[in-house]
Amino acid sequence: MYCIRYTIPMQRTIRLRLEPSPSQADALAESCRQFTSAFNQAVRLGWNEGISNATKLHYLAYYPLKANHPTLVSDLINQARVKAAEALRSAFALKKAGRKVTMPVSHACAPRYNEHTYRVDWESQTVRISTTAGRQIIRFSVPDYAAKYVGHPTDSADLVERDGQWWLHVVVSVPAPDIPPSDQLVGVDLGINRPAVTSNNQFLGQKQWKAVEGRYFTLTRALQKRGTRRHLKRVKRRRSRFRRDADHVLSKQIVGTAEPGGTIVMENLKQIRTRVKAKRRTKTKRRIHSWPFASLKAKVEYKAEERGCTVVAVDPRHTSQACSRCGHSARNNRRSRALFVCRACGYALHADLNGARNI
């Protein structure tokens, strides 16, 4: 009897820097405008009829979209409709939950391509892509970090323009590593003062991140009062890049603490904003509401997959109050923000490290 092991390929997104000619850049820009217009029209039709199902929205919107955007190929119209259905589902879900929502509107919806509308030639470093001016063959360059993914099969791709530069965000399918699972478990306690503490005594991240985030918040608030939109936009972009870089650094460090095939156990921080009680207009509440923990978890899962690690989320409640040695749980076990002393057995430990071991 033979046992066949099937592995699901990993999907990785790489950014290809396009090098279009002036006429090709104009065709790309017009394609983006047409795609955004088709997206907004599909959203309006679905919003007015209360439809978010992709199939029903297709029957409702395809011919009106095609009539108003004759130079946009049918597959791109379908992709605009698919993106519109995704936006509508999200909006209707928030509305059902009692949130106040308005009709989704996009000012720059990135066109989504598939195997019918684009093809990458890795050898010549060119991409053949559908535009409103017909198919265009455009050269591209591959960043150094993505060189290991060159040559793998491609999936979908998004066309993005930023500051006059064109990028193609391509999803490639990469074989998953054949790494046997191990028995190692690494608990990770996430926090604002200490970005991450692991159960194997690793204090990760940088303390100055909190101060940098505070400076960005102060500067943003001052610019909002002055009404300087252009400067405010630049600051928000820098803040977003800083957060993204910090998440990448921290997630790489977290995954690096586990051996290949190990298991990383993290806190399930979903709905933390509604669970944590913080006084109004306090720094703690503001930091909790601006904490991008979902982005960090996604990056940890992304990097752990290549290392053959499994990421598990557990309920974090009472992990900061329970003793990791005897299990006694009491609120006053935590003497301060950094010190944990068990009232039952007297075990003393750094509070975040104790929480990581409980996790």
Side-chain angles (χ1 to χ4, degrees):
M1 183 175 181
Y2 296 93
C3 179
I4 301 176
R5 181 181 179 183
Y6 295 95
T7 58
I8 301 176
M10 302 183 300
Q11 289 197 323
R12 294 291 179 266
T13 301
I14 60 176
R15 299 196 313 161
L16 304 182
R17 182 169 181 169
L18 301 182
E19 302 170 359
S21 65
S23 61
Q24 289 175 333
D26 292 340
L28 295 177
E30 180 61 25
S31 299
C32 288
R33 285 192 290 267
Q34 293 288 334
F35 189 90
T36 301
S37 175
F39 168 85
N40 287 328
Q41 183 181 354
V43 167
R44 284 195 302 271
L45 292 172
W47 182 266
N48 293 334
E49 297 295 330
I51 295 175
S52 61
N53 180 273
T55 303
K56 293 181 179 179
L57 188 61
H58 172 77
Y59 289 114
L60 175 68
Y62 177 77
Y63 288 107
L65 293 180
K66 189 63 178 176
N68 290 336
H69 309 87
T71 58
L72 204 62
V73 297
S74 297
D75 204 277
L76 286 178
I77 287 179
N78 287 332
Q79 294 301 322
R81 181 260 308 166
V82 170
K83 280 197 167 187
E86 294 171 355
L88 287 168
R89 281 197 297 272
S90 178
F92 288 152
L94 291 174
K95 188 175 182 180
K96 187 176 180 180
R99 300 278 295 276
K100 185 178 180 180
V101 295
T102 58
M103 183 181 70
V105 177
S106 175
H107 300 290
C109 186
R112 180 179 293 168
Y113 290 85
N114 57 24
E115 67 273 13
H116 303 297
T117 49
Y118 91 109
R119 181 166 296 179
V120 174
D121 188 334
W122 296 111
E123 292 185 4
S124 62
Q125 290 198 350
T126 58
V127 58
R128 183 178 174 86
I129 189 169
S130 295
T131 69
T132 53
R135 294 234 172 186
Q136 302 288 330
I137 298 178
I138 304 175
R139 293 193 60 82
F140 65 81
S141 59
V142 182
D144 294 337
Y145 81 90
K148 60 183 178 180
Y149 300 126
V150 170
H152 290 291
T154 60
D155 198 341
S156 61
D158 282 358
L159 179 65
V160 178
E161 186 271 337
R162 185 174 292 113
D163 298 330
Q165 178 60 56
W166 290 96
W167 302 85
L168 195 64
H169 295 192
V170 179
V171 178
V172 296
S173 297
V174 183
D178 189 10
I179 299 175
S182 71
D183 296 331
Q184 187 197 38
L185 294 172
V186 177
V188 182
D189 181 87
L190 302 176
I192 296 173
N193 295 293
R194 289 280 187 175
V197 179
T198 66
S199 57
N200 52 3
N201 307 332
Q202 298 289 325
F203 290 76
L204 309 177
Q206 300 178 18
K207 287 185 177 181
Q208 61 264 32
W209 287 348
K210 178 182 174 181
V212 173
E213 182 68 26
R215 289 196 295 270
Y216 273 122
F217 172 79
T218 303
L219 179 58
T220 301
R221 186 168 58 180
L223 292 174
Q224 287 173 338
K225 290 181 179 180
R226 296 176 187 173
T228 52
R229 294 183 178 180
R230 184 175 298 179
H231 191 185
L232 179 62
K233 188 175 182 180
R234 290 199 297 267
V235 170
K236 285 186 175 180
R237 284 186 177 179
R238 288 203 301 268
R239 186 182 189 182
S240 177
R241 290 195 297 269
F242 162 74
R243 284 180 170 178
R244 187 164 58 247
D245 178 71
D247 280 350
H248 274 297
V249 171
L250 186 58
S251 59
K252 185 176 181 180
Q253 291 178 344
I254 290 173
V255 174
T257 61
E259 64 184 27
T263 301
I264 301 171
V265 187
M266 302 182 67
E267 302 169 87
N268 182 10
L269 297 177
K270 189 176 182 181
Q271 298 179 345
I272 187 176
R273 295 178 177 89
T274 58
R275 295 204 314 260
V276 175
K277 295 181 180 180
K279 296 180 180 180
R280 296 184 62 186
R281 297 183 180 180
T282 62
K283 290 183 178 180
T284 301
K285 185 173 183 179
R286 185 247 301 171
R287 287 167 182 158
I288 289 174
H289 279 265
S290 63
W291 189 10
F293 47 82
S295 172
L296 174 62
K297 183 174 181 294
K299 289 178 174 61
V300 170
E301 293 174 340
Y302 186 87
K303 293 175 172 61
E305 192 177 17
E306 285 192 346
R307 198 171 172 84
C309 296
T310 303
V311 179
V312 179
V314 299
D315 190 346
R317 284 177 290 188
H318 308 299
T319 54
S320 63
Q321 302 173 11
C323 177
S324 58
R325 172 178 286 180
C326 70
H328 174 70
S329 180
R331 182 174 295 181
N332 58 0
N333 276 350
R334 189 161 182 171
R335 302 293 179 88
S336 66
R337 178 175 292 175
L339 178 62
F340 179 92
V341 179
C342 181
R343 295 285 181 174
C345 68
Y347 183 57
L349 191 66
H350 190 283
D352 292 336
L353 181 56
N354 177 77
R357 292 180 179 179
N358 285 327
I359 291 169

